[in-house]
Amino acid sequence: QSALDAGIVVCAYDDTIVGSDGEALDYQFSFVCDNYEIGYRVGTMAAEWTLETFEGEDTIQFGQLWHPEYQLQWDRVEGIKAALAELDPRVEIVEDLEGLVVNDGVAAAEAWMQTYPDLKGVVATNDTCLQGFAEAWSSAGKDLHDPEFGMFGNDGVQDAIDLIADGAILRGDVGLDVYSGGAETIEACVTWLEGGTTEDVIMPMINVTADTVEDWMSDPTLY
């Protein structure tokens, strides 16, 4: 608040800045992710793949990995479920497990390979846990390029993008263009300093699949 009182432009990154009383401060703008849209894109890529791969099947089992501690994760899950319900309601989320870091993905893979032998894929609210899932999948002797298993997440972590480029079971990732978003944020700050105003800056995002992964990897600001 002291910064705002001194005429300093304040931008929040993907969060809400609150004062000592717990109320949101009246700062200029935020640089945020549209977390529902991120989830909706994850679900959309998953549904497009299931529609193409499992024609004629009644139920398609998927697992879901996420981290319920943060509201943004709830928003992403809501988007995932909405897209699946709308585009391919055959997809059934059979279980939700913790999915924040690599070890979470390893644990989920070890559990689900035993519990759900007919599991066809995984949706997740990041891609780090999916890297762990892929590692455990491969360590168990399963085909890392199995054409009837697919994982879908988000963030655009380089190792995840490499799996997509290799044609592995990680088939879709919502890549977050933090470089362009950061540049837009600085431009918005300058606008405020020059006496103008701007809306919140929404993180640009790109669906990275086998069809678009080369474009992502060829851009040095993304890969």
Side-chain angles (χ1 to χ4, degrees), residues 59-63 84 88-95 119 121:
T59 302
I60 303 165
Q61 294 185 348
F62 262 63
L84 291 175
D88 193 353
R90 300 175 304 160
V91 176
E92 175 189 1
I93 303 296
V94 294
E95 189 171 18
L119 197 73

Side-chain angles (χ1 to χ4, degrees), residues 22-219:
E23 297 295 322
L25 297 180
D26 186 21
Y27 51 91
Q28 283 81 1
F29 71 106
S30 297
F31 172 30
V32 296
C33 290
D34 185 337
N35 288 296
Y36 179 90
E37 174 66 16
I38 289 172
Y40 194 88
R41 284 171 174 252
V42 172
T44 296
M45 289 188 291
E48 289 173 346
W49 178 74
T50 56
L51 288 167
E52 180 180 348
T53 307
F54 302 108
E55 185 177 353
E57 296 198 20
D58 294 330
T59 302
I60 303 165
Q61 294 185 348
F62 262 63
Q64 182 167 261
L65 297 175
W66 67 300
H67 184 65
E69 181 179 350
Y70 303 123
Q71 179 60 45
L72 68 90
Q73 298 272 317
W74 288 84
D75 295 340
R76 292 180 185 184
V77 165
E78 184 180 353
I80 290 171
K81 291 182 175 179
L84 291 175
E86 176 184 340
L87 301 173
D88 193 353
R90 300 175 304 160
V91 176
E92 175 189 1
I93 303 296
V94 294
E95 189 171 18
D96 292 81
L97 290 179
E98 174 69 21
L100 184 64
V101 297
V102 169
N103 286 343
D104 293 334
V106 171
E110 292 173 347
W112 287 342
M113 283 188 286
Q114 298 295 322
T115 310
Y116 300 105
D118 295 327
L119 197 73
K120 299 301 184 184
V122 180
V123 286
T125 54
N126 64 69
D127 53 23
T128 304
C129 60
L130 295 181
Q131 296 171 58
F133 196 104
E135 291 174 9
W137 180 272
S138 181
S139 295
K142 298 179 76 68
D143 184 5
L144 196 58
H145 301 86
D146 185 343
E148 294 193 348
F149 196 88
M151 304 194 301
F152 304 86
N154 65 263
D155 281 348
V157 173
Q158 182 168 327
D159 288 344
I161 300 299
D162 289 343
L163 286 171
I164 296 173
D166 187 47
I169 56 175
L170 205 169
R171 303 183 183 280
D173 197 62
V174 182
L176 305 182
D177 185 357
V178 292
Y179 183 94
S180 296
E184 291 179 28
T185 300
I186 296 303
E187 291 171 358
C189 288
V190 172
T191 297
W192 276 97
L193 291 170
E194 292 178 343
T197 61
T198 183
E199 300 293 328
D200 289 344
V201 176
I202 306 300
M203 179 84 75
M205 58 188 90
I206 301 166
N207 289 2
V208 184
T209 65
D211 294 331
T212 61
V213 67
E214 289 187 6
D215 293 337
W216 179 278
M217 297 176 75
S218 65
D219 188 334

